[in-house]
């Protein structure tokens, strides 16, 4: 509960809720006359104006220009989300369509993540972001090596979270099919059911059994590629998916070029986004980060709504949306909630198949 919650009586709460709804809808400052026209407070405009002035002094509203109405502050939005917002709601037709769209389009981990982001952006009209966590305990369920050209080989690794990774292996020598088959079997016997952590700590040069010189070269090179894959999976920029950046451009708040450039630059810093979402999204519920609550200055004109998604009981990443603080939080929270649940169910099914 907000530290200031006791200061807002019922009328002020109703006014704040109305100001949030009006400002989200219009992107304009809200005047007392407008509130009296659209809502039944049972009092005159002057009374509402006095109440709004008091709420501005208390920090819940702010006045962008001396002659204008008022807009919610970050504190006002936070109080709204925590105390005043109606239960998150997504129309049943939207929820059903989103679930069906994800189930029909996603057959592997990466496609499931990117499709979820596309659907979430479509539901909210905000930029969507997803992070992927690959813990060192993630298990290799399948590993194989096959020829794709004269010298180039393809390493395929299937992980316990349903992800499928492909890497090219170039041993630098001409290869025989029998050597490729032997090395593929060796990789499978050594690394299938091994964890990412075990791959990272594996000895650099161990040929498990007597093999030909060419097979030994192929094995060493394939193992090197596998270790690089394990390192990149621990964290890389591809661990962050972003969809719908164009929706930032359409927001009235970000028509100022400097503000827009700052936010777009921040979205490019995927390492920071990954750290932000990994650090701030805690617990099983949807997390809402409003404006200045964001530790990164460049992002303090925005709000995040995000939730963890799982495979079984294990958290494997975060998904959410970023938009202006003038966000439709009720719909955003509902959409993130629905898509996190849909994604969790799909990935759990993929990991068991």
């Amino acid at each position: 509960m907000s530290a200031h919650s006791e200061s807002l009586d019922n009328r002020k709460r109703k006014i704040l809720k109305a100001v949030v709804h009006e400002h989200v809808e219009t992107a304009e400052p809200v005047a007392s006359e407008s509130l009296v026209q659209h809502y039944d407070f049972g009092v005159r405009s002057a009374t509402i104006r006095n109440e709004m002035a008091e709420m501005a002094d208390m920090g819940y509203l702010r006045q962008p220009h001396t002659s204008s109405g008022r807009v919610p502050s970050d504190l006002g939005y936070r109080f709204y989300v925590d105390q005043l917002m109606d239960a998150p709601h997504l129309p049943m037709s939207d929820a059903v369509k989103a679930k069906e769209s994800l189930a029909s389009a996603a057959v592997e981990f990466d496609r499931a993540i990117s499709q979820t982001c596309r659907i979430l952006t479509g539901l909210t009209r905000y930029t969507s972001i997803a992070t992927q966590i690959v813990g060192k305990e993630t298990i290799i369920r399948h590993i194989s090596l096959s020829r794709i050209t004269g010298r180039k080989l393809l390493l395929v690794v299937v992980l316990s979270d349903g992800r499928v990774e492909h890497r090219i292996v170039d041993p630098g020598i001409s290869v025989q099919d029998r050597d490729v088959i032997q090395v593929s079997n060796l990789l499978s016997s050594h690394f299938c059911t091994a964890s990412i952590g075990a791959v990272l700590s594996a000895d650099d040069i161990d040929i498990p059994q007597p093999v030909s010189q060419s097979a030994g070269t192929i094995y060493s090179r394939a193992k090197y590629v596998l270790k690089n894959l394990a390192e990149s999976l621990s964290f890389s920029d591809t661990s962050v998916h972003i969809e719908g950046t164009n929706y930032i451009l359409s927001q009235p708040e970000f028509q100022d070029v400097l503000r827009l450039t700052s936010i777009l630059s921040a979205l490019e810093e995927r390492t920071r986004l990954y750290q932000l979402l990994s650090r701030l999204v805690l617990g099983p519920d949807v997390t809402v980060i409003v404006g200045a609550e964001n530790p990164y200055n460049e992002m303090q004109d925005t709000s995040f709504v995000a939730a963890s998604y799982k495979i079984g009981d294990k958290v494997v990443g975060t998904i959410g949306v970023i938009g202006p603080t003038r966000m439709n939080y009720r719909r955003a929270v509902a959409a993130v909630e629905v898509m996190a649940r849909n994604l969790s169910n799909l990935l759990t099914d993929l990991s068991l198949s």
Side-chain angles (χ1 to χ4, degrees), residues 179-233:
D179 290 334
V180 176
I181 292 169
Q182 184 179 27
V183 171
S184 183
N185 290 336
L186 288 174
L187 289 169
S188 183
S189 65
H190 260 239
F191 295 107
C192 196
T193 74
S195 67
I196 292 295
V199 172
L200 288 171
S201 60
D203 194 355
D204 283 336
I205 354 175
D206 62 320
I207 308 298
Q209 65 182 60
V211 294
S212 67
Q213 185 175 353
S214 58
T217 300
I218 296 168
Y219 179 83
S220 296
R221 187 62 191 171
K223 186 175 173 186
Y224 175 79
V225 171
L226 178 61
K227 290 190 76 168
N228 280 349
L229 170 61
E231 287 175 4
S232 69
L233 287 173

Side-chain angles (χ1 to χ4, degrees), residues 285-325:
D285 299 324
V286 174
T287 298
V288 178
I289 304 165
V290 177
E293 295 172 358
N294 195 310
Y296 298 134
N297 291 337
E298 306 94 316
M299 307 296 284
Q300 291 187 351
D301 288 331
T302 67
S303 287
F304 278 98
V305 176
S308 299
Y309 62 91
K310 303 177 179 181
I311 293 178
D313 294 329
K314 178 179 170 52
V315 172
V316 291
T318 303
I319 187 157
V321 293
I322 175 176
T325 53

Side-chain angles (χ1 to χ4, degrees), residues 9-281:
D9 58 30
N10 284 337
R11 183 189 290 160
K12 285 186 172 67
R13 286 170 176 245
K14 289 178 182 176
I15 291 171
L16 178 58
K17 187 173 183 178
V19 170
V20 169
H21 289 175
E22 289 291 305
H23 185 55
V24 166
E25 186 69 28
T26 65
E28 296 291 337
V30 181
S32 56
E33 293 81 1
S34 174
L35 291 182
V36 169
Q37 287 173 9
H38 294 106
Y39 300 88
D40 181 17
F41 292 108
V43 293
R44 291 179 300 174
S45 173
T47 303
I48 300 297
R49 188 160 52 249
N50 290 337
E51 293 275 27
M52 292 173 73
E54 287 181 24
M55 292 164 70
D57 291 340
M58 295 161 69
Y60 292 97
L61 300 177
R62 58 187 181 84
Q63 194 168 19
H65 310 288
T66 51
S67 60
S68 73
R70 289 177 168 80
V71 300
S73 64
D74 288 354
L75 177 64
Y77 281 122
R78 169 51 61 193
F79 187 80
Y80 168 80
V81 169
D82 291 345
Q83 303 285 332
L84 306 177
M85 187 172 74
D86 295 331
H89 175 71
L90 196 66
M92 183 61 72
S93 57
D94 286 349
V96 170
K97 185 178 177 183
K99 184 175 181 179
E100 290 175 348
S101 179
L102 179 60
S104 64
V107 292
E108 61 181 37
F109 192 100
D110 286 340
R111 284 186 63 188
I113 300 291
S114 57
Q115 180 67 3
T116 299
C117 284
R118 277 192 289 274
I119 295 168
L120 189 52
T121 286
L123 288 172
T124 62
R125 296 294 188 265
Y126 301 129
T127 301
S128 60
I129 299 176
T131 67
Q132 299 169 227
I133 301 168
V134 180
K136 289 186 177 180
E137 66 276 14
T138 301
I139 301 298
I140 294 175
R141 290 180 55 188
H142 170 83
I143 182 168
S144 64
L145 192 68
S146 59
R147 183 202 295 269
I148 49 175
T149 65
R151 288 191 172 193
K152 298 289 176 66
L153 306 173
L154 181 66
L155 181 70
V156 178
V157 179
V158 181
L159 301 174
S160 56
D161 60 13
R163 193 176 323 195
V164 181
E165 297 287 340
H166 307 85
R167 295 292 186 275
I168 301 296
V169 177
D170 184 356
I173 60 171
S174 296
V175 297
Q176 302 297 319
D177 286 341
R178 64 176 180 272
D179 290 334
V180 176
I181 292 169
Q182 184 179 27
V183 171
S184 183
N185 290 336
L186 288 174
L187 289 169
S188 183
S189 65
H190 260 239
F191 295 107
C192 196
T193 74
S195 67
I196 292 295
V199 172
L200 288 171
S201 60
D203 194 355
D204 283 336
I205 354 175
D206 62 320
I207 308 298
Q209 65 182 60
V211 294
S212 67
Q213 185 175 353
S214 58
T217 300
I218 296 168
Y219 179 83
S220 296
R221 187 62 191 171
K223 186 175 173 186
Y224 175 79
V225 171
L226 178 61
K227 290 190 76 168
N228 280 349
L229 170 61
E231 287 175 4
S232 69
L233 287 173
S234 297
F235 175 75
S236 72
D237 282 351
T238 57
S239 299
V240 179
H241 296 253
I242 299 178
E243 186 78 26
T245 307
N246 55 304
Y247 284 108
I248 293 285
L249 307 177
S250 66
Q251 299 296 339
E253 292 89 335
F254 304 137
Q255 297 310 301
D256 176 87
V257 175
L258 288 178
R259 290 177 78 189
L260 178 63
T261 303
S262 175
I263 290 167
L264 292 178
S265 297
L267 287 175
E268 289 299 312
E269 294 188 43
R270 299 193 174 200
T271 302
R272 294 180 78 186
L273 284 176
Y274 183 95
Q275 292 168 341
L276 171 71
L277 290 170
S278 300
R279 192 169 80 199
L280 296 184
V281 178

